[in-house]
Amino acid sequence: MKALVVPGYGTPDSFAIGDLPIPEPGPGQLQVRVAAVSLNPADLLMTAGTVREMVPLDFPFVPGTDVAGTVTRLGPGTQGFEVGEEVFGFGAPPSFAAGVGIPAVTSGALAEYATFQAGPYLAKRPPKLSAVTAAALPSTGMTGLAVLDRGGFQPRETVLVIGAPGGIGSVVVPLLARQCTVIASGTEPDRDYVRGLGAADMIDYRESDLIEEVLRRHPEGVDAVVNLALTGEAVIAATRMLRRGGRLLSTTPGTPTHPAVTTVMGTTDLRPDTMNALAAHVLDGTLPEPATRTYALSDAARAYQDLAQEHTRGKLVVIVDPEAAR
């Protein structure tokens, strides 16, 4: 089968399409004929070796965690799915799944076939939900819903979302905006996009100091900050924007410990109905189309280069099987 192959730790310019054996499903697993896969910044962290102590990889490595496709085989004892069903969901490299203690393993989604663990991280794809849209939902959607669950947001609160134009922001901002006043951080070209998501206002972090500008507009601080972009000490600095008793929720790896900061991981804060809830939110119009750009499998390496080098909005999706992704 054709797959995107990572030969060793490095940058996406070393990724290439290669031929690998079709993976066979083990106990409790299913084999999927892949239709579409969405890209995540975490893929780049893992393949660059940035988190190799926590997530060591075996090479050659096939990246990709978020998938939509068709079940083609069932492993021994696999329940809840049937051959021929359309599914979508999430799977992680074995070292990641073991490290955080989640029952979600994949052989690597950016391939014509991949194996996934059956369970709550996979769901049956509704007929009206396209494969491209479904593939764009899992990781960002799991994290976005976890932020909403953990945040304790109340009606009429003011919430700053840092990194609003990204994939997680495309889930968090529309759902928050139903009850809260959302301020987005972004760049001027993002303004119409984040307002379309539901943000009441946007601050261009390239044109002004974000902290100073937030406090100029809200001298007592905002009720909450959702951090989808800052890392390290910048997260701690962002707590200055909180009113007394406010809280900051952060989804970025390595978020420092602080009394006002809660780290959120969608993979461990999963609700049993998360995938079905995400599909329902898209189908009823609550969430906009998350996929903003698509690529062919032959261009998958370039897709990762774009993710690494460009300021992207929403989700980048690789179409592996054009016929199935229609």
Side-chain angles (χ1 to χ4, degrees):
M1 69 172 185
K2 299 295 183 184
L4 183 66
V5 179
V6 178
Y9 291 119
T11 55
D13 55 8
S14 68
F15 301 178
I17 300 298
D19 290 302
L20 293 176
I22 295 176
E24 296 296 328
Q29 296 183 341
L30 45 85
Q31 181 192 77
V32 173
R33 168 74 179 181
V34 177
V37 181
S38 68
L39 278 53
N40 293 297
D43 301 341
L44 295 173
L45 291 176
M46 289 187 289
T47 54
T50 306
V51 292
R52 73 176 73 186
E53 291 187 3
M54 182 176 69
V55 189
L57 302 180
D58 293 325
F59 298 101
F61 174 72
V62 178
T65 59
D66 293 20
V67 72
T70 307
V71 178
T72 47
R73 289 193 63 184
L74 300 177
T78 301
Q79 298 179 347
F81 297 93
E82 296 181 2
V83 171
E85 286 184 325
E86 300 294 328
V87 296
F88 75 106
F90 169 85
S95 56
F96 179 93
V100 299
I102 59 172
V105 178
T106 181
S107 58
L110 267 165
E112 291 178 316
Y113 290 88
T115 56
F116 288 84
Q117 199 75 25
Y121 293 86
L122 284 179
K124 298 171 186 178
R125 175 167 66 88
K128 293 184 179 180
L129 187 71
S130 75
V132 169
T133 300
L137 288 174
S139 287
T140 54
M142 288 190 300
T143 304
L145 291 188
V147 166
L148 271 292
D149 287 344
R150 298 283 299 279
F153 301 102
Q154 300 298 314
R156 295 182 295 280
E157 284 191 319
T158 298
V159 183
L160 171 69
V161 179
I162 301 173
I168 303 174
S170 69
V171 175
V172 170
V173 173
L175 295 179
L176 266 181
R178 294 188 299 177
Q179 61 174 339
C180 299
T181 299
V182 177
I183 305 169
S185 76
T187 64
E188 189 56 35
D190 298 321
R191 188 174 297 277
D192 289 345
Y193 178 73
V194 296
R195 283 190 175 275
L197 293 177
D201 197 5
M202 194 203 81
I203 296 174
D204 188 336
Y205 63 85
R206 291 180 178 173
E207 295 297 323
S208 61
D209 182 277
L210 179 62
I211 295 175
E212 292 180 0
E213 184 61 21
V214 168
L215 292 176
R216 185 185 71 80
R217 301 184 190 188
H218 303 272
E220 296 183 0
V222 296
D223 297 294
V225 171
V226 175
N227 171 50
L228 311 176
L230 302 179
T231 60
E233 291 304 311
V235 179
I236 304 304
T239 62
R240 290 172 46 203
M241 296 181 284
L242 295 173
R243 65 163 176 77
R244 186 183 298 274
R247 67 272 189 211
L248 186 152
L249 293 97
S250 181
T251 67
T252 54
T255 295
T257 301
H258 186 278
V261 176
T262 298
T263 301
V264 180
M265 288 185 62
T267 51
T268 54
D269 292 320
L270 184 79
R271 301 187 323 203
D273 65 337
T274 290
M275 296 302 164
N276 291 329
L278 290 169
H281 283 318
V282 173
L283 292 175
D284 69 12
T286 302
L287 290 180
E289 169 59 59
T292 56
R293 200 184 312 178
T294 60
Y295 302 76
L297 178 60
S298 58
D299 290 328
R302 181 168 64 86
Y304 272 117
Q305 291 173 9
D306 290 348
L307 181 64
Q309 298 170 5
E310 297 182 7
H311 178 75
T312 58
R313 300 186 193 123
K315 295 288 289 183
L316 308 186
V317 176
V318 173
I319 297 175
V320 178
D321 185 345
E323 291 296 321
R326 286 181 178 176

Short mmCIF file of all heavy atoms in Angstrom, two decimals, residues 188-232:
data_model
loop_
_atom_site.label_atom_id
_atom_site.label_comp_id
_atom_site.label_asym_id
_atom_site.label_seq_id
_atom_site.Cartn_x
_atom_site.Cartn_y
_atom_site.Cartn_z
N GLU A 188 -4.67 40.34 11.41
CA GLU A 188 -5.69 41.08 10.67
C GLU A 188 -6.37 40.23 9.59
O GLU A 188 -7.60 40.30 9.45
CB GLU A 188 -5.09 42.34 10.05
CG GLU A 188 -6.11 43.28 9.45
CD GLU A 188 -7.18 43.72 10.46
OE1 GLU A 188 -6.86 43.89 11.65
OE2 GLU A 188 -8.35 43.86 10.04
N PRO A 189 -5.64 39.39 8.84
CA PRO A 189 -6.33 38.56 7.85
C PRO A 189 -7.31 37.55 8.46
O PRO A 189 -8.16 37.01 7.76
CB PRO A 189 -5.18 37.83 7.14
CG PRO A 189 -4.01 38.73 7.32
CD PRO A 189 -4.18 39.31 8.68
N ASP A 190 -7.19 37.30 9.78
CA ASP A 190 -8.07 36.35 10.46
C ASP A 190 -9.38 36.99 10.91
O ASP A 190 -10.29 36.28 11.35
CB ASP A 190 -7.40 35.77 11.70
CG ASP A 190 -6.14 34.99 11.39
OD1 ASP A 190 -6.13 34.29 10.38
OD2 ASP A 190 -5.17 35.11 12.18
N ARG A 191 -9.47 38.32 10.84
CA ARG A 191 -10.58 39.01 11.49
C ARG A 191 -11.94 38.51 11.02
O ARG A 191 -12.81 38.17 11.83
CB ARG A 191 -10.46 40.52 11.27
CG ARG A 191 -11.49 41.33 12.09
CD ARG A 191 -11.23 42.83 11.97
NE ARG A 191 -9.94 43.20 12.50
CZ ARG A 191 -9.69 43.43 13.80
NH1 ARG A 191 -10.68 43.31 14.68
NH2 ARG A 191 -8.50 43.78 14.20
N ASP A 192 -12.16 38.46 9.73
CA ASP A 192 -13.47 38.01 9.23
C ASP A 192 -13.72 36.55 9.58
O ASP A 192 -14.86 36.16 9.88
CB ASP A 192 -13.55 38.21 7.71
CG ASP A 192 -13.65 39.67 7.31
OD1 ASP A 192 -13.95 40.50 8.19
OD2 ASP A 192 -13.41 39.98 6.13
N TYR A 193 -12.65 35.74 9.55
CA TYR A 193 -12.81 34.31 9.86
C TYR A 193 -13.27 34.11 11.31
O TYR A 193 -14.24 33.39 11.56
CB TYR A 193 -11.51 33.57 9.60
CG TYR A 193 -11.56 32.10 9.96
CD1 TYR A 193 -12.27 31.20 9.17
CD2 TYR A 193 -10.90 31.61 11.09
CE1 TYR A 193 -12.32 29.85 9.49
CE2 TYR A 193 -10.95 30.26 11.41
CZ TYR A 193 -11.66 29.40 10.62
OH TYR A 193 -11.72 28.05 10.95
N VAL A 194 -12.59 34.75 12.27
CA VAL A 194 -12.95 34.52 13.68
C VAL A 194 -14.29 35.17 14.01
O VAL A 194 -15.04 34.66 14.85
CB VAL A 194 -11.84 34.99 14.64
CG1 VAL A 194 -10.58 34.18 14.43
CG2 VAL A 194 -11.55 36.47 14.50
N ARG A 195 -14.61 36.27 13.36
CA ARG A 195 -15.94 36.85 13.57
C ARG A 195 -17.01 35.91 13.02
O ARG A 195 -18.09 35.78 13.60
CB ARG A 195 -16.03 38.23 12.93
CG ARG A 195 -15.33 39.33 13.74
CD ARG A 195 -15.66 40.71 13.20
NE ARG A 195 -15.11 41.77 14.01
CZ ARG A 195 -15.68 42.28 15.10
NH1 ARG A 195 -16.84 41.78 15.52
NH2 ARG A 195 -15.11 43.26 15.77
N GLY A 196 -16.69 35.25 11.93
CA GLY A 196 -17.61 34.26 11.39
C GLY A 196 -17.81 33.08 12.32
O GLY A 196 -18.88 32.45 12.32
N LEU A 197 -16.80 32.79 13.12
CA LEU A 197 -16.93 31.72 14.11
C LEU A 197 -17.79 32.14 15.30
O LEU A 197 -18.27 31.29 16.05
CB LEU A 197 -15.54 31.32 14.64
CG LEU A 197 -14.59 30.64 13.66
CD1 LEU A 197 -13.24 30.38 14.34
CD2 LEU A 197 -15.17 29.33 13.14
N GLY A 198 -17.94 33.46 15.49
CA GLY A 198 -18.76 33.95 16.60
C GLY A 198 -18.05 34.89 17.54
O GLY A 198 -18.65 35.35 18.52
N ALA A 199 -16.78 35.20 17.29
CA ALA A 199 -16.06 36.12 18.17
C ALA A 199 -16.66 37.52 18.06
O ALA A 199 -16.94 38.01 16.97
CB ALA A 199 -14.58 36.16 17.81
N ALA A 200 -16.83 38.18 19.21
CA ALA A 200 -17.38 39.53 19.23
C ALA A 200 -16.30 40.56 18.89
O ALA A 200 -16.62 41.67 18.43
CB ALA A 200 -17.97 39.83 20.61
N ASP A 201 -15.04 40.21 19.12
CA ASP A 201 -13.95 41.15 18.89
C ASP A 201 -12.68 40.35 18.62
O ASP A 201 -12.60 39.16 18.95
CB ASP A 201 -13.76 42.04 20.13
CG ASP A 201 -12.95 43.29 19.84
OD1 ASP A 201 -12.61 43.52 18.66
OD2 ASP A 201 -12.66 44.04 20.79
N MET A 202 -11.69 40.99 18.02
CA MET A 202 -10.40 40.35 17.78
C MET A 202 -9.28 41.32 18.07
O MET A 202 -9.39 42.52 17.76
CB MET A 202 -10.27 39.86 16.34
CG MET A 202 -9.10 38.90 16.14
SD MET A 202 -8.50 38.79 14.44
CE MET A 202 -7.48 40.27 14.34
N ILE A 203 -8.21 40.82 18.66
CA ILE A 203 -7.01 41.62 18.92
C ILE A 203 -5.89 41.08 18.05
O ILE A 203 -5.59 39.88 18.11
CB ILE A 203 -6.62 41.58 20.40
CG1 ILE A 203 -7.73 42.23 21.25
CG2 ILE A 203 -5.28 42.29 20.63
CD1 ILE A 203 -7.50 42.12 22.74
N ASP A 204 -5.29 41.93 17.26
CA ASP A 204 -4.17 41.55 16.41
C ASP A 204 -2.90 41.55 17.26
O ASP A 204 -2.38 42.61 17.61
CB ASP A 204 -4.03 42.53 15.24
CG ASP A 204 -3.00 42.09 14.21
OD1 ASP A 204 -2.09 41.32 14.58
OD2 ASP A 204 -3.10 42.52 13.05
N TYR A 205 -2.41 40.36 17.60
CA TYR A 205 -1.27 40.26 18.50
C TYR A 205 0.03 40.71 17.84
O TYR A 205 1.04 40.91 18.54
CB TYR A 205 -1.13 38.83 19.04
CG TYR A 205 -0.84 37.79 17.97
CD1 TYR A 205 0.46 37.53 17.55
CD2 TYR A 205 -1.87 37.04 17.40
CE1 TYR A 205 0.73 36.58 16.58
CE2 TYR A 205 -1.61 36.09 16.44
CZ TYR A 205 -0.31 35.86 16.03
OH TYR A 205 -0.05 34.93 15.06
N ARG A 206 0.02 40.86 16.53
CA ARG A 206 1.22 41.36 15.86
C ARG A 206 1.31 42.88 15.89
O ARG A 206 2.39 43.44 15.74
CB ARG A 206 1.26 40.87 14.40
CG ARG A 206 1.48 39.37 14.27
CD ARG A 206 1.51 38.96 12.81
NE ARG A 206 1.77 37.53 12.67
CZ ARG A 206 1.72 36.87 11.52
NH1 ARG A 206 1.39 37.53 10.40
NH2 ARG A 206 1.97 35.58 11.46
N GLU A 207 0.17 43.52 16.06
CA GLU A 207 0.13 44.98 16.04
C GLU A 207 0.18 45.60 17.42
O GLU A 207 0.45 46.79 17.57
CB GLU A 207 -1.14 45.45 15.30
CG GLU A 207 -1.17 45.07 13.83
CD GLU A 207 -0.03 45.72 13.05
OE1 GLU A 207 0.31 46.88 13.35
OE2 GLU A 207 0.52 45.05 12.15
N SER A 208 -0.12 44.83 18.45
CA SER A 208 -0.10 45.36 19.82
C SER A 208 0.24 44.24 20.79
O SER A 208 0.09 43.06 20.47
CB SER A 208 -1.46 45.98 20.17
OG SER A 208 -2.49 45.00 20.10
N ASP A 209 0.70 44.62 21.97
CA ASP A 209 0.96 43.65 23.02
C ASP A 209 -0.37 43.10 23.51
O ASP A 209 -1.23 43.87 23.98
CB ASP A 209 1.73 44.30 24.17
CG ASP A 209 2.06 43.31 25.27
OD1 ASP A 209 1.18 43.06 26.12
OD2 ASP A 209 3.18 42.78 25.27
N LEU A 210 -0.56 41.79 23.40
CA LEU A 210 -1.86 41.20 23.70
C LEU A 210 -2.29 41.49 25.13
O LEU A 210 -3.44 41.89 25.38
CB LEU A 210 -1.82 39.69 23.45
CG LEU A 210 -3.10 38.92 23.75
CD1 LEU A 210 -4.24 39.39 22.86
CD2 LEU A 210 -2.87 37.41 23.58
N ILE A 211 -1.40 41.30 26.08
CA ILE A 211 -1.76 41.50 27.49
C ILE A 211 -2.15 42.95 27.74
O ILE A 211 -3.19 43.23 28.36
CB ILE A 211 -0.60 41.07 28.40
CG1 ILE A 211 -0.36 39.56 28.27
CG2 ILE A 211 -0.90 41.44 29.87
CD1 ILE A 211 0.84 39.05 29.04
N GLU A 212 -1.32 43.87 27.26
CA GLU A 212 -1.61 45.29 27.49
C GLU A 212 -2.91 45.71 26.83
O GLU A 212 -3.69 46.49 27.39
CB GLU A 212 -0.45 46.15 26.99
CG GLU A 212 0.82 45.99 27.79
CD GLU A 212 1.95 46.85 27.26
OE1 GLU A 212 1.71 47.58 26.26
OE2 GLU A 212 3.06 46.80 27.83
N GLU A 213 -3.18 45.18 25.63
CA GLU A 213 -4.38 45.58 24.92
C GLU A 213 -5.63 45.01 25.59
O GLU A 213 -6.67 45.70 25.68
CB GLU A 213 -4.31 45.13 23.47
CG GLU A 213 -5.47 45.57 22.60
CD GLU A 213 -5.60 47.09 22.50
OE1 GLU A 213 -4.61 47.81 22.77
OE2 GLU A 213 -6.71 47.55 22.15
N VAL A 214 -5.56 43.78 26.07
CA VAL A 214 -6.71 43.21 26.78
C VAL A 214 -7.01 44.02 28.04
O VAL A 214 -8.17 44.35 28.33
CB VAL A 214 -6.46 41.73 27.13
CG1 VAL A 214 -7.51 41.23 28.13
CG2 VAL A 214 -6.49 40.87 25.88
N LEU A 215 -5.97 44.36 28.79
CA LEU A 215 -6.18 45.12 30.03
C LEU A 215 -6.60 46.56 29.75
O LEU A 215 -7.29 47.17 30.57
CB LEU A 215 -4.92 45.08 30.88
CG LEU A 215 -4.57 43.70 31.45
CD1 LEU A 215 -3.25 43.75 32.20
CD2 LEU A 215 -5.68 43.20 32.36
N ARG A 216 -6.23 47.10 28.60
CA ARG A 216 -6.71 48.44 28.24
C ARG A 216 -8.21 48.40 28.00
O ARG A 216 -8.94 49.29 28.42
CB ARG A 216 -5.99 48.93 26.99
CG ARG A 216 -6.33 50.38 26.61
CD ARG A 216 -5.69 50.79 25.30
NE ARG A 216 -6.32 50.12 24.16
CZ ARG A 216 -7.47 50.52 23.60
NH1 ARG A 216 -8.13 51.57 24.09
NH2 ARG A 216 -7.97 49.87 22.57
N ARG A 217 -8.67 47.34 27.32
CA ARG A 217 -10.10 47.23 27.02
C ARG A 217 -10.90 46.70 28.20
O ARG A 217 -12.09 47.01 28.33
CB ARG A 217 -10.31 46.30 25.82
CG ARG A 217 -9.60 46.75 24.55
CD ARG A 217 -9.93 45.84 23.37
NE ARG A 217 -9.09 46.10 22.22
CZ ARG A 217 -9.26 45.57 21.01
NH1 ARG A 217 -10.27 44.74 20.80
NH2 ARG A 217 -8.44 45.86 20.02
N HIS A 218 -10.26 45.90 29.05
CA HIS A 218 -10.93 45.29 30.21
C HIS A 218 -10.03 45.48 31.43
O HIS A 218 -9.31 44.55 31.82
CB HIS A 218 -11.21 43.81 29.95
CG HIS A 218 -12.02 43.55 28.72
ND1 HIS A 218 -13.40 43.54 28.73
CD2 HIS A 218 -11.65 43.31 27.43
CE1 HIS A 218 -13.84 43.29 27.50
NE2 HIS A 218 -12.79 43.16 26.70
N PRO A 219 -10.04 46.67 32.04
CA PRO A 219 -9.09 46.99 33.12
C PRO A 219 -9.13 46.01 34.29
O PRO A 219 -8.10 45.81 34.95
CB PRO A 219 -9.53 48.40 33.55
CG PRO A 219 -10.21 48.97 32.34
CD PRO A 219 -10.89 47.82 31.69
N GLU A 220 -10.28 45.40 34.55
CA GLU A 220 -10.36 44.45 35.66
C GLU A 220 -10.04 43.02 35.24
O GLU A 220 -10.06 42.11 36.06
CB GLU A 220 -11.75 44.51 36.29
CG GLU A 220 -12.07 45.86 36.93
CD GLU A 220 -13.42 45.87 37.61
OE1 GLU A 220 -14.11 44.83 37.58
OE2 GLU A 220 -13.79 46.93 38.17
N GLY A 221 -9.74 42.85 33.97
CA GLY A 221 -9.41 41.53 33.46
C GLY A 221 -10.62 40.81 32.89
O GLY A 221 -11.77 41.24 33.07
N VAL A 222 -10.37 39.70 32.20
CA VAL A 222 -11.45 38.88 31.63
C VAL A 222 -11.75 37.72 32.57
O VAL A 222 -10.95 37.38 33.45
CB VAL A 222 -11.06 38.35 30.24
CG1 VAL A 222 -10.90 39.51 29.26
CG2 VAL A 222 -9.79 37.52 30.29
N ASP A 223 -12.91 37.13 32.40
CA ASP A 223 -13.32 36.04 33.29
C ASP A 223 -12.49 34.78 33.07
O ASP A 223 -12.22 34.03 34.01
CB ASP A 223 -14.80 35.71 33.06
CG ASP A 223 -15.69 36.88 33.42
OD1 ASP A 223 -15.76 37.23 34.61
OD2 ASP A 223 -16.32 37.45 32.51
N ALA A 224 -12.10 34.53 31.81
CA ALA A 224 -11.35 33.31 31.51
C ALA A 224 -10.51 33.53 30.27
O ALA A 224 -10.84 34.35 29.41
CB ALA A 224 -12.28 32.12 31.32
N VAL A 225 -9.42 32.77 30.20
CA VAL A 225 -8.58 32.72 29.01
C VAL A 225 -8.48 31.27 28.58
O VAL A 225 -8.25 30.38 29.41
CB VAL A 225 -7.17 33.28 29.28
CG1 VAL A 225 -6.24 33.03 28.09
CG2 VAL A 225 -7.22 34.76 29.61
N VAL A 226 -8.69 31.02 27.29
CA VAL A 226 -8.47 29.69 26.71
C VAL A 226 -7.22 29.80 25.85
O VAL A 226 -7.21 30.50 24.83
CB VAL A 226 -9.67 29.23 25.87
CG1 VAL A 226 -9.35 27.90 25.19
CG2 VAL A 226 -10.91 29.09 26.75
N ASN A 227 -6.15 29.13 26.26
CA ASN A 227 -4.89 29.19 25.54
C ASN A 227 -4.72 27.98 24.63
O ASN A 227 -4.63 26.85 25.09
CB ASN A 227 -3.70 29.26 26.51
CG ASN A 227 -2.39 29.10 25.79
OD1 ASN A 227 -2.13 29.79 24.79
ND2 ASN A 227 -1.58 28.17 26.23
N LEU A 228 -4.66 28.25 23.33
CA LEU A 228 -4.49 27.20 22.34
C LEU A 228 -3.16 27.33 21.61
O LEU A 228 -2.92 26.59 20.66
CB LEU A 228 -5.63 27.24 21.32
CG LEU A 228 -7.05 27.31 21.88
CD1 LEU A 228 -8.06 27.46 20.75
CD2 LEU A 228 -7.36 26.09 22.72
N ALA A 229 -2.30 28.26 22.04
CA ALA A 229 -1.10 28.56 21.27
C ALA A 229 0.15 28.80 22.10
O ALA A 229 1.24 28.36 21.73
CB ALA A 229 -1.35 29.77 20.36
N LEU A 230 0.03 29.51 23.23
CA LEU A 230 1.21 29.89 24.00
C LEU A 230 1.80 28.68 24.72
O LEU A 230 1.09 27.75 25.11
CB LEU A 230 0.86 30.96 25.03
CG LEU A 230 0.25 32.26 24.51
CD1 LEU A 230 -0.07 33.20 25.66
CD2 LEU A 230 1.19 32.93 23.51
N THR A 231 3.11 28.72 24.92
CA THR A 231 3.81 27.67 25.66
C THR A 231 4.70 28.28 26.72
O THR A 231 5.00 29.48 26.69
CB THR A 231 4.66 26.79 24.72
OG1 THR A 231 5.63 27.63 24.06
CG2 THR A 231 3.80 26.11 23.68
N GLY A 232 5.15 27.46 27.67
CA GLY A 232 6.13 27.88 28.66
C GLY A 232 5.68 29.05 29.51
O GLY A 232 4.50 29.16 29.88
#
